Amino acid sequence: MRTKPRTFAFLAVFLAVTFPLLYPLNISDRVSPEAVKFKALVDSIPGGSLVMVSFDHEASTIAEVRPLGTVLVRHLFSRNIKIIGLSLFAEGTAIGNQVLSLVAEEFGKEYGRDWVFLGYRPQFQAAILGMGENITNVFPRDYYQNVTSELPLIKGVSNYSQIEMVVSVADGDLGYAWVDYAHSRYRARVSAMVTAVMVTSYMPLYASGQLAGLVNGLKGAADYERLLDKPGAAIRGMDAQSMAHLMILLLIVGGNAAYWWNRKK
Amino acid sequence: MNLATLVATLLTLAIFSFLYRENPFFRFAEHLLVGLSAGYFTVIAVQGTLVPKVLEPLKAGDFWVAIPFILIILILGRLTEKTRPASRIPLALVIGAGAGVAVPALLQARILVQLSATMKPLHSAASVLVLLGVITTLIYFFFSREHKGWWGRLASVGTWYLMIFFGATFGNTVMSRISLLIGRLEFLLGDFLGLIK
């Protein structure tokens, strides 16, 4: 008997998510000021400049981090900004490379000239600090085993001083590490795109200006897609997100009402 | 539908079956995930780090890299009781160097800069609220004086700030977890069943 309300709750959330995915409701949504600022930040970077995108996440959060990474890479390529991709989390390596490859193909970008993917390096402290001195020392070869120093994009790039911004697409606290080491020591401009569960931890860094930009989870990705006028996976998911939140609110209210009703009896 | 989609669908359903109760399908999928993650990490570490950072320099005659390589082997000493003491040398180096690098960086980024951000001129209601929040929360965590009288009232304001933080974090956690569910259902409805274009 005890499993009944539990089963009902699962079913209710399942329906609340499934229905809007099958029949989009187009619920209007206010764009967050953080997303507006982040887009403006990318817009202020001159075409032809370099941005480093670090895919610092596991595969389990792919539903949130892939839309974030995709919308960012789309925006960067649309402005002809060159990308150095990497990962400080082993599982983020394949996802990061997949996101970059797919979007690069969409925009007709050439590997080695418009973008490179350096792959994964363990010990994030050493990797971030090492790249502040020399990127090719930390990554002598890229993800595809090319000699990094021979890639046209990397020639003439030694450290963060030639990179306009570092963006950490993170589901944990690796974005913090970029602030601790790349920003504090080498004055690199650092931004973060993080899963919603992490955003309250990152807010103090954003408020203090240590993070130049911050985008919050699937909602942030949807906002970014709206700002670019390129609806994608994130916007599609936001209807389901809103309905699920509404359902959870109803379940909380209903659960409390049932509790008080039973207590009265 | 290709084989990869079919495998991913079966594994997703196996994991979802936990919602009913724990069962062999769930346990199989869970163990598969752990094993695959460990295997993937090993391949990435060997291919991306051990080969270009150790083996290739050794082949090229750079014997300095032999020192960290020996330290790596010493770490493996933890596997047997007899050789365990040898693993303390690389561990001590990692912990010592790690702490040495981290302490000044964290002191700067997480304490000094954060403190100076709190000390900005009180031009807006937001900065007053931030200052009040920092002071009252610190008072809440100050245990050398009993939380009574005006001191206790300030500490209870700190408690309210903490509760608001926990509430905001929990709300974001719900949003994050629902996003993961949306991702899986989009896969099942779109890639597997073809109901979403």
Side-chain angles (χ1 to χ4, degrees):
Chain A
M1 287 299 280
R2 283 179 68 82
T3 57
K4 267 189 176 172
R6 198 173 123 96
T7 313
F8 172 73
F10 287 148
L11 195 66
V13 173
F14 172 78
L15 291 174
V17 172
T18 308
F19 185 77
L21 287 177
L22 294 173
Y23 307 101
L25 306 168
N26 299 318
I27 301 169
S28 65
D29 202 4
R30 188 180 63 90
V31 174
S32 64
E34 289 84 14
V36 174
K37 190 183 164 189
F38 194 97
K39 184 187 172 275
L41 196 65
V42 174
D43 282 337
S44 72
I45 297 172
S49 306
L50 267 175
V51 165
M52 182 176 266
V53 182
S54 186
F55 296 87
D56 305 325
H57 53 76
E58 293 176 323
S60 58
T61 50
I62 193 167
E64 255 187 307
V65 290
R66 192 157 59 183
L68 283 168
T70 304
V71 73
L72 171 69
V73 173
R74 276 208 177 112
H75 191 197
L76 293 172
F77 278 153
S78 72
R79 301 206 61 256
N80 286 320
I81 294 167
K82 296 168 193 286
I83 301 175
I84 297 178
L86 71 142
S87 176
L88 298 180
F89 229 126
E91 288 183 30
T93 318
I95 299 165
N97 183 55
Q98 191 189 45
V99 166
L100 282 166
S101 313
L102 287 173
V103 183
E105 203 181 309
E106 189 183 317
F107 282 85
K109 298 290 179 183
E110 187 186 341
Y111 186 82
R113 286 190 187 280
D114 301 309
W115 68 285
V116 294
F117 190 66
L118 300 176
Y120 164 72
R121 193 57 76 237
Q123 242 300 332
F124 60 88
Q125 286 172 328
I128 297 172
L129 287 170
M131 284 190 288
E133 303 297 328
N134 196 314
I135 293 170
T136 51
N137 278 354
V138 180
F139 288 94
R141 286 181 185 273
D142 69 358
Y143 184 65
Y144 299 103
Q145 300 303 310
N146 301 305
V147 177
T148 315
S149 57
E150 290 172 6
L151 294 167
L153 180 73
I154 300 287
K155 277 183 186 163
V157 178
S158 52
N159 51 43
Y160 300 126
S161 59
Q162 284 100 20
I163 291 169
E164 283 287 328
M165 184 162 70
V166 177
V167 185
S168 174
V169 183
D171 64 359
D173 53 11
L174 270 173
Y176 259 82
W178 283 103
V179 171
D180 293 342
Y181 302 108
H183 175 72
S184 295
R185 181 146 173 193
Y186 296 102
R187 311 311 302 167
R189 184 157 60 162
V190 176
S191 291
M193 300 181 114
V194 298
T195 50
V197 66
M198 290 306 296
V199 81
T200 46
S201 307
Y202 279 85
M203 268 297 175
L205 296 179
Y206 181 62
S208 65
Q210 289 163 284
L211 274 178
L214 179 66
V215 180
N216 175 12
L218 194 67
K219 155 80 177 142
D223 289 347
Y224 209 149
E225 285 178 358
R226 273 197 186 91
L227 289 168
L228 295 179
D229 204 18
K230 295 261 180 218
I235 286 183
R236 199 169 54 231
M238 280 318 289
D239 276 351
Q241 184 80 255
S242 303
M243 290 307 290
H245 286 186
L246 198 64
M247 184 54 73
I248 289 167
L249 276 174
L250 288 174
L251 287 171
I252 292 171
V253 172
N256 277 287
Y259 170 75
W260 286 106
W261 182 257
N262 285 335
R263 224 167 84 141
K264 253 185 171 178
K265 283 205 291 187
Chain B
M1 182 181 34
N2 57 28
L3 185 65
T5 307
L6 185 66
V7 171
T9 303
L10 291 175
L11 290 172
T12 301
L13 294 175
I15 292 289
F16 277 0
S17 68
F18 183 75
L19 293 174
Y20 175 61
R21 67 161 69 139
E22 179 149 345
N23 61 73
F25 298 110
F26 169 74
R27 277 201 295 277
F28 169 75
E30 194 181 37
H31 292 150
L32 193 67
L33 174 73
V34 174
L36 274 174
S37 298
Y40 180 71
F41 178 81
T42 308
V43 170
I44 290 279
V46 170
Q47 194 188 37
T49 308
L50 207 63
V51 172
K53 298 289 278 184
V54 180
L55 300 181
E56 284 182 359
L58 271 178
K59 266 189 203 166
D62 179 5
F63 294 106
W64 284 108
V65 294
I67 298 171
F69 189 59
I70 291 167
L71 290 171
I72 293 171
I73 292 172
L74 287 181
I75 279 199
L76 296 175
R78 292 196 72 76
L79 296 174
T80 67
E81 195 68 46
K82 227 178 176 180
T83 52
R84 191 161 292 167
S87 68
R88 289 187 193 138
I89 302 165
L91 279 178
L93 267 168
V94 168
I95 293 166
V101 166
V103 169
L106 298 194
L107 200 66
Q108 166 70 15
R110 305 216 189 165
I111 298 180
L112 298 179
V113 179
Q114 286 295 309
L115 271 180
S116 72
T118 317
M119 292 171 193
K120 280 184 179 151
L122 303 174
H123 287 319
S124 63
S127 37
V128 175
L129 283 172
V130 167
L131 182 67
L132 185 71
V134 171
I135 291 169
T136 53
T137 308
L138 284 174
I139 287 173
Y140 173 77
F141 284 109
F142 187 80
F143 301 116
S144 300
R145 182 176 165 159
E146 204 175 343
H147 290 175
K148 272 184 170 176
W150 65 272
W151 187 260
R153 280 193 286 278
L154 284 176
S156 68
V157 173
T159 316
W160 274 99
Y161 269 96
L162 284 172
M163 291 302 143
I164 291 167
F165 170 76
F166 295 146
T169 304
F170 183 64
N172 275 303
T173 305
V174 170
M175 190 157 92
S176 221
R177 300 301 176 241
I178 292 293
S179 300
L180 303 186
L181 176 66
I182 291 169
R184 277 301 80 195
L185 289 180
E186 267 188 334
F187 168 77
L188 290 176
L189 297 171
D191 297 35
F192 179 60
L193 294 175
L195 297 174
I196 302 175
K197 297 288 167 230

